[in-house]
Each structure stands twice: as C-alpha cells, then as structure tokens.
Amino acid sequence: MGDIISFAYQYADSFALLALSSIGLVIIFGMMGVINMAHGEFMMIGAFGASFGFQWGLPLSLAIVTGVFAATAIGLLLERLVIRKLYGRLLYSLVATWGISLVLSQGALVLIGPSVPSLPNPFGTVSVGGMNFSVYRLFLVALAIALIVTLWALMRFTNFGLHARATMTEPDMAEALGVRTTRIYMVTFGLGAALAGFAGAIFGLSAQIQPTFGAAYTPIAFIVVVVAGSRNIIAGLLASALVLALVKTSFTVGFNILTGYVAMLVTALIIIRLSPTGILDLIGKLKALASQHRSSTAGTSAEETKNA
Amino acid sequence: MNISRRSLMKTSVALAATSTALAPVSAFAQEGPIKVGIIDDASGDFAAAVIPKTQGARIAIDEINAAGGVLGRELELIHYDGQSDVRRHQEFAQRAILQDEVDVLMAGYTSSEREAARAVAVENETIFWHNNQGEGGIADEYSFFTGPVPEQQILPGLEYMVEKYGKRVYVLAADYGFGQVSAQWVQASAGMAGAEVVGLEFIPLGNSEFSSSIANIQNEEPDFLFLLLVGSAQSQYFPQAQAAGIAIPSISTVNLQQGYEHKLFPAPTLENLYVPVTFIEELAQEVESAQVFVDKVRAAFPDTEYVNQMTRCAYVAVHLMAKAWEAAGTTDTPAVLEALHSGLTFDAPEGPVTLDPATHHLAMDIRLAQVQPDHSVEFVEDFGVIEPWWLKEMGVNLADTPQSRQYLPGDDPDLAAFLE
Amino acid sequence: MRELLNGRIEPGKGPVFWIVGALLVIGMLFLPGLVGRYTLLNFNSFLLMVFLATGLALLWGFCGVLSLGQSAFFGIGGYAYGIVAINLADSPWASLAGVAGGIVAAVVFAALLGWLTFYGHLRGVYVSIVTLVVTLVIESFLNQTAGPQWKIGTAHLGGNNGLGRFSGAAENIPSLTIPTGGGNSLVISGSSPTFYYVLIGLIVFTYLLLRALVNSRFGVALAAVREDPDRAETLGYDIRLLQSMTFCIGAALAAMSGLLYVAWGNFITPSVFGVTANVLPVIWVAVAGRKSLAAAILGAVVLQWGAQQLAISGGEWALIVQGALLVLVVLLLPEGLLSLRQQYSRMRDVRSSSLKSQSRQG
C-alpha cells in the first residue's frame, strides 16, 4: 500500500512539473508556432521578480504576482519589438529567441548578479500511510490541474478564446471578420510569458534562483508541447504530461533517474513517430483500431453463428 | 562589482608603478611581467560559484605586485571567461599558452573543464593548477592542486558521521567523473569504518527532481546521508528533502564551500548538514588569519556574495607560484618545477599549508562545519593538518619519477576490496 | 560539368565570381607563412566546422529541413573516430580507419533517424524537435559513462570528462595520421600547416561537389521539396527518399567536422551534444544566409571568430552582444547577410517585376 501511495505521489509530482514547466510554451509554440527558445528565461524572470518582490517586503503571494508581471511585461515588449516581425518566418523565431535568451540570462547576470535569495516555502509536510510528503509538491499538482482547466475554459468560453482560435487557424479569415489579429497575437504571447513567469516564480519556492535557472526547462517543455500536438493544445498538454510522467515515474522507480529520463525522451520520439500531429490523434487512432478489431471479431463470431 | 574591480585594478597598477619606481633597476625588469593565465567561468551555469575564485587570484596578484612583484617583475593577470563551456576552456588554454605564453595556467571548475585545459597545458609542458576540490588521484608532472582530495575530506568526515550517528549510510552522487569516483571513496571509507552503504544513487547532471530518491531514502531510513551533489539544479535536493520532512543528518564535500547554498536557501533548509572544509567564509569566526582574508576580499570586492573555498584556493595557488618563482630565480619550467618540489609552505587563510613534492597536492588543515537551524555555521571538529597520502600509497613520487595518469580507487587493492 | 558548377541554384556565377573565389583560395594558401602557431591552430578549429555548416545549409536552405540535431552526427563522428583510432592505436592506419568509422557511423545513424522522421511523415519544426531530442538522449547517456565498465574495446568513454580521459592511464586520441609506406607515417597535428592545407583542400572539394549536387537534377528536386512538399510529391518526387538522402549527406558532413575536431584537439566530451552545440550551426547558417553554400562557409568561420573575440575582449557583455546581434540580423536581414545581395538584385529587377504584375492585373 505504501508503495502505491508513494508511486502515485511521485507520478503526480512528475506530471505537475512537466505540465507547469510547459504551460507557457504550449500557448506560444502550440498556438502561435513561435519557437520560443527564451521560454526558460521567462521562467527565470518570474523567479527573479518574485524574489525581488519578497525582498521588498511584499507577502509571498504578491511577490509571485510581481514575478508574473515582470515576465508579462518583458514578454509583451519583446512581442512588439521582435516576435511580431517573425510571424511569417517561424523557423527564424528560433534564432531570434535564442538571441533573446542569451541577452536575458546574461543580462540578469550582469545587472543583478549570479544569484538572488530563494523564496521561503510556506508549506509543511503531510503524513500518509507512514510516509511523509511535501505539501508544496501536492500544491503544484493542484495548481497544474487548475491552470489547465482555467486555460481550457478561457479558450472555450470567452470571446478572447474564440478570436484566438480563429486567428491561429485562419488568420486572414479572422482578420476579414473583424478580429484584430495583431492584438490577439500580442495578448497570446503575453499570456504565454505570464504563465512561464508564474511557473518560474512557483518553482522559485524550492530552487536556487540564478540567471541560468530556466535553461534546463526549455527542451523538456518543447518535448511535452510537441507530443501534445496541434489539434487541441490544452487537452493535448494534459494527455502528454500524463503519459510522459507515467513513463518517467515508472522507469525511475523501476530503475533509476537516468533511465526514467531517457525512457521519457524515447517515448516522446515513439509518439511523434506514430502520430506527428500529437498524442490525441494517436489515442484516436488506437481507439479506431480497437473498435475495428472489436467489430471484426464481432463479425467473425456472427458468421460462425450463421454457419452453425 | 564592475566598478570595484576596475578601481581595484587601477590602484594595483598605481602601486605596481610606484614599487617598480622604487625598486633598483635590475636586469629582470627588462623581461616584462610574469604572466598568470586564468580561465574561470564568469558567465554561464557555474558563474555564481566560480566568480569568487577569480577574486582570490586577483587579490593575491595585487598583494604580490604591491610588495614589489616577483624577481623584480610584475605579475600580470591574463583572464579568460570560460563561459561554463568545455570547448572555451580548450580554446583559451591554447591561446593562453601558445599566444600569450603564460608562465602558469590555472583553469577549470568541473572535472571536464579541468581536463580540457589541463590536456593542453601538459602537452605544452606548462605548469597547471586546479583550484577547487576534486576527486583526486591525478599524478602528473605539470599539474598541481590546491583543493582537498578524498582522503582529506571523505575519509575523516565519514568516520565522524559513523561514530556520531551510526553505520547505515545512503549516498546520492552526481553521475559523472567527480561524483562516481567520490562515491567509490565513500564506499571504501564506509568499508574501512565498518559502516554499510544501504543505498547508492547516481543523479544525472542537471537533474532537479528528487521525489523518487526521497521516497527511497524514507524507505531505507539510513543513519546519515552522504551527498555528492553538484550544480544549482542538483542543489534543489535540499528544499525538496526538507519539504518532505527528511530530518536525517547529512554530510557533503561539495555544498556550502562552493555554491554557498546556505546563503541562498532560506533557513532551515540545510539544517544539520556537515561539510569537511579547508576554508569557508564562516571560518573567520574561529581563525584570525581567515578573518584577515575575508576582510581583504570584502574590501576589494564589496559586492561579493560569498568568500568560498575557491577564493582561498586560487589565492594560495598564486602565492605558492610566486614563492616557487622566487626560489627558482627564474620562470623556466624545469627550475620552477624543482622549486615546487622543495616542500614550499604558505600561510593560507586557514593556517599553514605545505605543497607535497611527491603528489603535487597540499597538506592542509581540515575542519568539520555543521549548518545550524538558522544557517549559521559551527565548527564541530578540527581534524588538524591532513597529508595527501593516498597517491604516495600508490607509489607515486612526482619529485623523482615524473608520470601522467589518474589513479582511481579501484587501482588500490585496499580500497578495491570494498567496492562492488 | 561546367553547367553543374555554374548552375542556377547555388548563388554566384560568371567569371567575376570564379576569379574572386580562386584568388581568395590562393591567397589563403599563404596564411601559414604569415601567422604564428597559435593563430593557425585557432583558425583550423574554425575551418573544420565548415563541413557542419555546409551540411546544414544543404539540409535547411536547399531541402527545407531544419535539423536541430546536426551535433548528434558531429558527436557521433568524433566519438567513432576516437574509439576506432584508440583501438587501432598501434596501426599506422588507425586514424584513417577512424575517419571511415566516423563517417559510416554517422550515416548509418542518419539513415535510421531519417526513417524515424521523414518516413513518419514528420515535417517542419517537428523534425527539428525530434533531432534535438535524439541528441539530448545521447548526451545524457554519455555523461554517465565515467565508470571503468563503459568501454568499447580499449577505449573508455570517460563520461563527462571526455573520451579516454578517465581511465587511469589516459588514452590519447591519435591525431590525423597518414601512412607514407615503409612503416613510416605522417602525423598531422592540429596546429600544423599541413592540417590547414588538408582543410582548405577538403573545403574547396566539398564546396564544388555540393555545388554540382545542388545544381543537378537532384538539387532541382530538393528545391521543389523545399518550396512545396505536397506539390513535389504530386509531381512524382519521392520526397521522403530525397529528404532522407540529404539528411545522410548532411550527417556525413557533420561527422567530417566532428572527426576533424577530435583529430585537431585530441579531445571530445558529451557537451558537443548539448543544446548550445546544436543551435550554433543554425545561427551561422541563418545569419550568413541559408540558401548559399558559400555564405554558410564564410558564416561559420566569421561568426566563430567573432564569438571568440567577443568572449576574449567583451568579458561579461560578450553573450549579450552576441544575442542582440542575432536578433538584429534576423529582424533586419530576413535571409541573413545574403539578403543584402538579394536586395540589390531586387532593386535592379523592380521595374520588370512591376511591369509583370501590371500586365497580370490588366
């Protein structure tokens, strides 16, 4: 029993980390197609902002809001100055955002210094079945789910969501119908930066906050987002993080951390290979296959009865 | 930081100018400065830990120049930013040695950076110093080390923990050269101390998720933990373990003295962590000369985040080289090597150190630091001066027989017996 | 042959282009006499990356596939060279066998990866991400191979410290060596003028060969795939085969750079597989102009030199300046520095094209 609880905890933990570290990117890359290599740096800005807010004497929650504001502001600024000019040439956004990531992380080092104090972690420990678990990590799980649900609602039920989806699928048509697509792009990019900054600030409760703090998250976030696919990015993100975290946790528990990491990457490769449009289509294909199989077995059994 | 560095350089240049003006004109003065080549990471992943290292070298160079230089010549610092990048270390080692023709090269934070630069130095017969603690075992004619090695840290530290807390140890080690060799040392030391390694996990570099390791540790309930975690990503172990309610005492040969995690994480994240150290800033509480050193660093670099082990190592290395050049009366490598083999001593911030001619490592004072709940540090044990004895056990005597290889614990039958 | 070299796809033709090019190459032959050992050694390290850059230009600029995993082939080429050469250390053929081993290993791996991506109908940025993931897998695997059990033949992988660097008695990766008969051999160290001349020769040869390739029917087919893969497929081109073949050629070129890098510095670590290492060649090619092999060659050399100069003299501002320059180039020069030339010719063509569009409207 203890083992099962422990596994469930690790699985949820791993899911939350994957989902939170990629949720900003799923907006920027998944919706807009911008290859944002500076994703991790937006997370870093969120963490730095939160650390500063806290040092200024703000309560922790407001400090985190400070971090989100910082990331959003820099995100919006970059969208206006740089990203906006790249919407027609998305592969080049890789080079430009790589440049931005160098400027941001090294700029933080020069202007602020090699590190800033971490944030205090107000959460305690909870004991289940004789094992101690971190409430902070459970909070991350709840947060990841809450954010995914909120995003889904935003896309599904609001005007912004409608316009955003229209802009991403048929920009010219949307424009013709009166959607101000440039504004939609800007808000979307800002939202992505805000979410990245939020994740960074939250991770800053339990990490050393340094200029290179975010760099490690960028490739992993890309993998989660590519596996999530382009059909329905929010549901895709949920499925992608759930599946990758399951593989990672299973192999980590069964073998070791390295095997877990490599198994996750290999799974991502397999999923992309089987279904370039993402995990949802793979699930769809598998379902179709299963029902085909079911109907064909049903068919043979019917024939058998007939023959009998 | 910038302004202070620049103003410091100005003063040092001014001081050097006056001292050369006062010094009698000698033939040596015509030869130009003695070049100290340094490749340290001022940017990238390791900047936070390594920036204090360069400060130590700068202070030593300025001190020596203020006192009239070496052999009537000024010391010139040639510094390259390694950018936490192995290739840059290789490139700049080539540049420093072949183009700048430095008289000594000091480079490398991680073992891979060290090896990239050291290979170039050894190939070109240039004296090389590595100035932070490492996995030990390197016996090379041209390579010298100011940081402590496993027999100075792991062995006494582990014995202390076994005596105080019990025989069951769980090891988390970074999964690369330094971590793997150090983990073998932990295994061997545990074997010799009659302790048992109940778990050994290798953590990939850059990994920051420890929930599986924490669950394993909770299952195993060891008496203490031996942590060989490297880099800021892996340091996330501490807040995660604390949040999961792990209150097991632990010991590390890496943390605190390089990455000053106790200054960056809020208290009491690192409570009850033990670290065998040569020098950390808090040593100033105990040792007069350490206080003098800290004051010196803070005066020169008011914005420095922490005066760490590497500040001390780089400072000691430059001073030892200055002594060797003085003793040799020249900067010619064979003569300088001979001088380095003469049992040089220096009053390091923590106390006197001796450069062991046989192994090219330092005999130095080691103390055991313990992190308190408020993240202040207390020194709970003084192991005294510990010799770098292991390479001698392996028959190494670099003063007599030059060689170039790295010895691993598996090469020593006494240690190999305890390895899996 | 003349038509292939002077064709229409790779920019640059006519007597002026060839004369300037030839003069440039001839001029470069005098370099070793003019500079010191270090400068030559350093310059060699820039030149040997040219193959990596041209391979990526071929793949991205001419075939429309942006690989973020070229350093996987660079690394595989380098490691394979080292492993083969260490194992055959006593033979005079060690290093040449290493060269063959490096290229073969990379091409085989590229064929597998090509099957995984192109035959999986992956396109665009998905190919980029898949190739990046593959290099990350290799990097994390190699980083932990420090233990004595990780060896291939007599070559210890050495983990993060680098091939052969962590094995007690350090195994030295041999330099480029050519047997000259009678048991003698010529050792070409990375700082020697010979290494430089070998590089110049290989670069000229590779450039001409690739130029002929992209100007051939194969090149026309690649351009068709780049501009519109679906249309190319409808027209009967086997786009997956074309992409895979180009991918393999790009891999061979990347491996060439990788093995020359190891032969040059006798050193390689898993960091050659990192994200930064993968992005660098993309930057060279993007900044110089991806639709020209010559631009890729110049871009690789000039940008490496520039980045190094910045790191030397710019101190902590180096990476900031480098990043800002990248952003500016992408914003101001959409096709890299090559667009300067195109802007010029566009200005020249502006009248005829406006006439055309007028007539179309009419």
Side-chain angles (χ1 to χ4, degrees):
Chain A
M1 188 59 197
D3 284 352
I4 297 172
I5 296 174
S6 171
F7 183 87
Y9 168 80
Q10 289 180 45
Y11 175 38
D13 181 48
S14 177
F15 159 76
L17 283 172
L18 289 180
L20 286 175
S21 55
S22 52
I23 197 157
L25 193 70
V26 86
I27 302 289
I28 290 177
F29 175 69
M31 288 191 64
M32 309 168 74
V34 172
I35 308 172
N36 181 24
M37 298 301 283
H39 173 67
E41 279 62 38
F42 286 145
M43 293 175 72
M44 178 272 290
I45 290 166
F48 266 76
S51 174
F52 276 113
F54 191 73
Q55 289 172 66
W56 293 329
L58 295 176
L60 189 58
S61 52
L62 285 183
I64 291 171
V65 173
T66 315
V68 175
F69 267 119
T72 316
I74 292 183
L76 289 176
L77 186 73
L78 288 171
E79 199 277 342
R80 291 222 67 153
L81 293 178
V82 182
I83 308 294
R84 176 166 297 184
K85 314 215 158 70
L86 298 173
Y87 287 129
R89 307 183 292 134
L90 291 175
L91 285 182
Y92 279 89
S93 62
L94 183 146
V95 181
T97 52
W98 178 263
I100 290 173
S101 83
L102 288 180
V103 173
L104 290 179
S105 71
Q106 190 66 18
L109 178 74
V110 173
L111 296 177
I112 299 167
S115 61
V116 292
S118 296
L119 298 162
N121 193 325
F123 302 95
T125 315
V126 61
S127 200
V128 182
M131 301 200 80
N132 291 327
F133 298 109
S134 160
V135 177
Y136 166 71
R137 310 294 277 195
L138 295 172
F139 167 72
L140 290 187
V141 179
L143 199 63
I145 295 170
L147 276 181
I148 289 176
V149 171
T150 313
L151 263 190
W152 173 77
L154 182 75
M155 287 298 154
R156 184 75 181 74
F157 297 118
T158 64
N159 254 340
F160 165 74
L162 183 69
H163 290 173
R165 280 182 290 145
T167 306
M168 304 315 156
T169 36
E170 287 287 349
D172 296 341
M173 182 64 86
E175 181 91 52
L177 290 174
V179 177
R180 291 165 69 185
T181 51
T182 47
R183 163 156 276 178
I184 292 288
Y185 279 129
M186 195 169 108
V187 173
T188 314
F189 196 86
L191 179 65
L195 286 168
F198 181 58
I202 294 289
F203 288 173
L205 293 174
S206 173
Q208 266 187 46
I209 305 175
Q210 299 188 336
T212 52
F213 161 84
Y217 294 108
T218 308
I220 300 297
F222 267 104
I223 291 158
V224 175
V225 172
V226 166
V227 170
S230 48
R231 177 168 304 256
N232 176 343
I233 55 163
I234 312 289
L237 172 69
L238 184 67
S240 164
L242 281 173
V243 169
L244 293 179
L246 181 64
V247 173
K248 187 168 184 234
T249 313
S250 307
F251 281 83
T252 302
V253 170
F255 301 92
N256 55 40
I257 296 178
L258 177 79
T259 318
Y261 176 70
V262 171
M264 176 181 77
L265 296 185
V266 171
T267 307
L269 286 181
I270 294 172
I271 293 174
I272 299 171
R273 172 67 173 82
L274 293 178
S275 170
T277 47
I279 189 162
L280 292 180
D281 285 337
L282 181 67
I283 295 172
K285 276 185 205 168
L286 290 177
K287 267 192 196 150
L289 246 150
S291 66
Q292 213 173 24
H293 181 72
R294 218 176 299 133
S295 63
S296 71
T297 45
T300 40
S301 59
E303 251 166 54
E304 275 163 17
T305 1
K306 210 190 281 169
N307 289 345
Chain B
M1 186 179 78
N2 235 341
I3 296 159
S4 60
R5 186 189 298 166
R6 243 170 246 142
S7 54
L8 180 83
M9 277 165 70
K10 263 186 217 144
T11 33
S12 70
V13 168
L15 281 172
T18 35
S19 57
T20 14
L22 292 177
V25 181
S26 71
F28 291 123
Q30 311 300 315
E31 288 183 45
I34 295 177
K35 292 176 178 173
V36 180
I38 288 184
I39 308 166
D40 283 339
D41 298 322
S43 48
D45 267 348
F46 309 128
V50 182
I51 286 173
K53 190 191 227 178
T54 321
Q55 296 173 346
R58 283 182 193 277
I59 288 174
I61 289 173
D62 290 334
E63 271 178 13
I64 292 164
N65 285 338
V70 173
L71 306 173
R73 295 163 69 186
E74 196 189 358
L75 294 192
E76 185 192 353
L77 171 65
I78 297 191
H79 173 259
Y80 293 108
D81 176 5
Q83 299 184 333
S84 305
D85 179 340
V86 174
R87 270 201 230 179
R88 284 270 181 261
H89 276 76
Q90 184 186 20
E91 276 171 34
F92 288 148
Q94 291 166 342
R95 186 182 175 89
I97 290 171
L98 298 175
Q99 172 150 308
D100 304 325
E101 299 182 337
V102 296
D103 295 290
V104 62
L105 182 67
M106 303 181 175
Y109 170 57
T110 61
S111 51
S112 48
E113 289 179 353
R114 177 197 71 211
E115 290 307 293
R118 203 172 69 84
V120 179
V122 172
E123 189 197 330
N124 292 289
E125 301 178 356
T126 300
I127 294 170
F128 178 88
W129 288 78
H130 183 239
N131 296 325
N132 50 259
Q133 120 277 20
E135 74 275 12
I138 297 176
D140 176 73
E141 199 181 347
Y142 298 100
S143 308
F144 295 82
F145 304 85
T146 44
V149 284
E151 66 264 35
Q152 294 170 318
Q153 281 188 303
I154 295 178
L155 219 58
L158 187 123
E159 265 173 30
Y160 177 93
M161 297 300 280
V162 169
E163 206 158 284
K164 182 152 185 194
Y165 292 107
K167 288 182 184 300
R168 306 179 73 247
V169 51
Y170 197 103
V171 189
L172 294 183
D175 203 358
Y176 76 115
F178 166 78
Q180 293 191 344
V181 174
S182 301
Q184 291 186 344
W185 271 97
V186 173
Q187 284 179 310
S189 310
M192 288 189 278
E196 182 196 359
V197 177
V198 294
L200 167 58
E201 272 188 60
F202 287 110
I203 313 295
L205 285 176
N207 174 72
S208 58
E209 289 176 52
F210 288 91
S211 51
S212 67
S213 310
I214 287 169
N216 295 341
I217 292 169
Q218 286 175 332
N219 275 331
E220 221 37 84
E221 294 182 344
D223 295 324
F224 69 97
L225 298 163
F226 210 113
L227 304 174
L228 297 158
L229 300 173
V230 175
S232 56
Q234 292 197 351
S235 75
Q236 292 191 34
Y237 162 79
F238 292 104
Q240 289 179 30
Q242 193 222 9
I246 288 190
I248 304 167
S250 39
I251 179 167
S252 165
T253 59
V254 190
N255 304 107
L256 227 66
Q257 49 192 333
Q258 293 186 352
Y260 43 99
E261 291 83 356
H262 60 312
K263 295 288 174 196
L264 299 175
F265 287 122
T269 310
L270 271 74
E271 180 181 359
N272 223 9
L273 174 73
Y274 290 82
V275 187
V277 297
T278 52
F279 177 87
I280 53 176
E281 185 161 351
E282 286 85 352
L283 195 64
Q285 300 157 201
E286 302 265 312
V287 182
E288 180 67 41
S289 53
Q291 180 68 57
V292 173
F293 181 65
V294 169
D295 291 344
K296 231 185 288 186
V297 178
R298 294 233 163 246
F301 302 98
D303 294 341
T304 197
E305 300 202 339
Y306 189 70
V307 184
N308 68 7
Q309 175 210 55
M310 296 194 272
T311 323
R312 168 265 184 204
C313 286
Y315 177 80
V316 170
V318 172
H319 272 291
L320 281 172
M321 275 312 293
K323 288 199 161 200
W325 284 319
E326 282 292 357
T330 167
T331 53
D332 289 344
T333 304
V336 178
L337 280 177
E338 202 170 303
L340 286 166
H341 288 154
S342 65
L344 290 178
T345 59
F346 176 68
D347 288 324
E350 77 277 11
V353 296
T354 312
L355 178 59
D356 176 37
T359 63
H360 292 188
H361 287 72
L362 295 185
M364 61 183 101
D365 206 324
I366 303 283
R367 295 175 177 84
L368 191 62
Q370 183 196 21
V371 182
Q372 304 301 309
D374 64 351
H375 278 195
S376 66
V377 170
E378 275 183 19
F379 294 90
V380 294
E381 182 86 24
D382 186 344
F383 296 117
V385 172
I386 303 181
E387 291 278 324
W389 52 263
W390 181 63
L391 278 175
K392 283 187 265 198
E393 294 272 291
M394 302 303 294
V396 171
N397 187 354
L398 292 165
D400 284 353
T401 11
Q403 55 170 308
S404 182
R405 63 162 290 188
Q406 180 162 20
Y407 290 87
L408 302 174
D411 296 323
D412 181 346
D414 293 343
L415 300 181
F418 298 109
L419 303 178
E420 278 152 20
Chain C
M1 193 62 208
R2 197 167 149 199
E3 201 169 294
L4 281 180
L5 286 177
N6 221 0
R8 23 187 287 142
I9 291 189
E10 164 73 10
K13 57 185 167 192
V16 178
F17 172 82
W18 289 108
I19 290 170
V20 170
L23 284 177
L24 191 68
V25 173
I26 292 169
M28 286 188 68
L29 295 179
F30 293 100
L31 187 78
L34 302 174
V35 300
R37 182 169 161 228
Y38 165 73
T39 309
L40 196 64
L41 175 73
N42 197 32
F43 197 56
N44 280 346
S45 80
F46 301 152
L47 284 181
L48 61 83
M49 291 294 180
V50 157
F51 307 98
L52 177 66
T54 48
L56 184 68
L58 177 73
L59 202 52
W60 185 22
F62 293 85
C63 185
V65 175
L66 173 55
S67 163
L68 271 183
Q70 286 312 93
S71 63
F73 309 117
F74 178 92
I76 287 173
Y79 267 91
Y81 170 87
I83 291 166
V84 171
I86 288 175
N87 273 292
L88 301 176
D90 299 331
S91 155
W93 295 92
S95 122
L96 290 181
V99 171
I103 290 176
V104 168
V107 170
V108 169
F109 188 72
L112 271 174
L113 201 55
W115 170 80
L116 186 74
T117 49
F118 305 120
Y119 284 85
H121 297 263
L122 291 188
R123 275 187 197 166
V125 68
Y126 292 88
V127 176
S128 316
I129 301 291
V130 165
T131 48
L132 180 64
V133 172
V134 169
T135 63
L136 293 180
V137 171
I138 301 176
E139 187 193 18
S140 12
F141 167 75
L142 279 176
N143 261 333
Q144 52 84 52
T145 55
Q149 72 275 26
W150 293 107
K151 55 175 190 170
I152 299 178
T154 55
H156 288 80
L157 293 180
N160 187 261
N161 281 15
L163 180 64
R165 293 298 303 175
F166 209 77
S167 47
E171 300 135 6
N172 289 319
I173 305 172
S175 295
L176 212 55
T177 311
I178 293 169
T180 48
N184 297 323
S185 46
L186 173 69
V187 178
I188 307 171
S189 84
S191 61
S192 65
T194 319
F195 196 90
Y196 173 80
Y197 290 125
V198 168
L199 283 178
I200 296 286
L202 282 172
I203 289 170
V204 170
F205 175 74
T206 310
Y207 175 69
L208 295 177
L209 194 72
L210 287 180
R211 203 181 153 90
L213 184 77
V214 296
N215 286 332
S216 70
R217 286 182 54 196
F218 182 78
V220 175
L222 287 190
V225 174
R226 176 188 67 196
E227 294 305 326
D228 189 339
D230 295 322
R231 194 175 56 193
E233 190 159 27
T234 321
L235 289 173
Y237 288 115
D238 186 344
I239 60 167
R240 277 167 283 287
L241 184 68
L242 284 167
Q243 286 171 328
S244 300
M245 279 169 66
T246 315
F247 197 57
C248 289
I249 298 172
L253 288 166
M256 189 76 179
S257 283
L259 62 90
L260 285 169
Y261 167 71
V262 177
W264 166 83
N266 314 97
F267 184 75
I268 186 167
T269 74
S271 73
V272 300
F273 293 100
V275 176
T276 312
N278 277 304
V279 174
L280 277 180
V282 177
I283 288 172
W284 303 334
V285 171
V287 170
R290 64 184 172 121
K291 289 181 181 168
S292 160
L293 299 165
I297 294 175
L298 291 175
V301 175
V302 172
L303 289 172
Q304 286 181 89
W305 176 81
Q308 193 191 54
Q309 287 306 309
L310 270 175
I312 290 167
S313 53
E316 53 207 348
W317 290 91
L319 294 175
I320 298 179
V321 175
Q322 201 185 330
L325 282 176
L326 283 181
V327 176
L328 284 179
V329 167
V330 170
L331 287 185
L332 301 178
L333 305 168
E335 287 294 331
L337 296 175
L338 197 67
S339 38
L340 288 177
R341 209 185 71 102
Q342 283 164 347
Q343 269 165 8
Y344 167 73
S345 55
R346 205 172 301 140
M347 265 172 12
R348 221 175 31 186
D349 296 348
V350 85
R351 193 175 302 152
S352 61
S353 68
S354 67
L355 280 175
K356 252 184 233 164
S357 66
Q358 272 171 9
S359 63
R360 206 180 298 146
Q361 276 165 1

